[in-house]
Amino acid sequence: MTFLEAFTKFGPDVERIAEALGITPPEADRLINEAMERRHQQRVRRSLRRA
């Protein structure tokens, strides 16, 4: 399972993603934060284009 598949399936649940991917919870947390930041930046860019 990839991180994106786990994130889609479990949402931002650090423990479940870490278990599914066989990584430590701090590593899962870092990946979740990066994914959420990318989504936020995409929304900001889209809203700036519309303005």
Side-chain angles (χ1 to χ4, degrees):
M1 177 179 287
T2 67
F3 169 74
L4 290 177
E5 290 170 334
F7 188 69
T8 300
K9 183 174 183 179
F10 302 121
D13 187 331
V14 172
E15 296 295 326
R16 291 183 80 186
I17 289 174
E19 184 179 328
L21 298 179
I23 60 177
T24 64
E27 180 68 10
D29 190 43
R30 185 186 64 76
L31 293 171
I32 290 167
N33 288 336
E34 286 176 2
M36 293 176 77
E37 180 64 21
R38 275 192 306 274
R39 288 181 176 187
H40 172 71
Q41 290 301 323
Q42 288 171 346
R43 282 192 298 263
V44 168
R45 280 188 230 114
R46 274 187 247 129
S47 69
L48 290 175
R49 284 187 217 141
R50 292 180 188 156

